[in-house]
Amino acid sequence: MDQRIGCSEKSTKSVLALNQKMREEADGGKSREEAVERGDQQLRSLHGMADLNNGAVGLYNIGLSCCLNSLLQVFFMNTHFTVILRRIRVPIGHAEQKKNVPYQMLLLLEQMQRSKQSAVHPQELARCLTMHNLKLFVQHDAAQLFLLLWNLIKSQLTDWQLADRLSTLYTIQVQEYLVCQKCSFETRRNSKMLTLPLPMFNASSQRLKTLEDSLRCFFQPEQLTDNNMCVCEQCERKTPCLQGMRLTCLPQTLTLHLKRFYFRNSTGTQKISYSLPFPQSLDFNHILTQEQCHSDAKEKADWQYDLFAVVAHSGLASFGHYCAYIRSLTDCKWYCFNDSSVCQVSWDDVKCTYGNSHFNWGETAYLLVYMRKNPQ
Ligand code: ZN
């Protein structure tokens, strides 16, 4: 099976040579930003738009690492992310390099690009992650692991501008509000989220039929009464209130998390495998109401997204397998990254991850990654 997407070995090598050159220039004390900028321009001229060939090499499973492998492929196929990764400062000293997650990710990415094999072993990065208390040989939850990985990358970026860019690329900004039902006093708080955790059921425990329904349900305000009442600053006592969230800013790379796993004391963690279709294109202006959006017209005009990746889980809550379906930003074709194997697939194959309640072992989408149509 051919693992490469779009681009020849020759141009892959020029990317590596270019990286080396960028590093040498930076090490030589010249303006690193200038060198990187120049490198990026050269990359764009080499590949049409950006360094789009990366990631199309598989990653060997080194012991229940399918979840990690899937997430890494989603990171590496996102050129908006790899542009940031390529600008990191190389940590000084062998020991520092060994435990620096972004640096180890960059090395792995370069190893994948350099490789003439169909897959490479991610053991150095895995070893690095164990230094940060990530357990290997255990089944991970992709949503939790994504959060953990992302936080590790962000916290280890020594350049605050890069850390800022990473935040802007991935974080969703919302305004949480609480309205007193007695006096209408409203308390607001701005917060940031890395994923939108979307429900599979509505407040009346009915199945949600589509991703759009699930998004609407997530932004639907909730009545807090009885034991859930909150203290109103104005009434100076506990009152019934309305709690909700308004969307203020959406990132370039938007990660949606379908809450397919739930915990019950009696049965432990269970998986919901019923079908929840998701579209290839999402326009938040058509999904949410004016009241649910707290943003200006210019920002909202860009709230149009294309599906970029699906991290799918097959099996049961306690035991299963992850793989990633990713739409290449170079050739716009879908690929399935299943550990060491990478193959081109169709949209119909991706749709098979909608889920099926009669087939509990089947693949179900768990994380959906959407990409803004117009890059900022
Ligand atoms: Zn009040």
Side-chain angles (χ1 to χ4, degrees), residues 6 14 130 186 213 246 248 349:
S14 11
T130 59
E186 184 176 314
D213 286 344
R246 299 182 186 107
T248 35
D349 294 318

Side-chain angles (χ1 to χ4, degrees), residues 81-126:
F81 172 77
T82 53
V83 162
I84 296 176
L85 193 63
R86 287 213 158 79
R87 293 181 184 210
I88 62 165
R89 290 194 187 116
V90 177
I92 300 161
H94 187 65
E96 283 304 308
Q97 290 175 0
K98 285 271 179 200
K99 64 178 186 192
N100 188 281
V101 177
Y103 181 65
Q104 289 302 326
M105 280 180 82
L106 180 62
L107 289 186
L108 179 61
L109 175 62
E110 292 190 345
Q111 190 193 345
M112 289 162 85
Q113 293 188 319
R114 209 170 38 232
S115 175
K116 291 192 174 118
Q117 310 298 321
S118 59
V120 301
H121 286 92
Q123 75 268 38
E124 284 302 317
L125 176 63

Side-chain angles (χ1 to χ4, degrees), residues 180-185 232-237 239:
C180 170
Q181 300 295 277
K182 293 280 177 210
C183 73
S184 300
F185 181 76
C232 167
E233 278 177 48
Q234 202 146 279
C235 302
E236 293 180 330
R237 64 183 171 89
T239 57

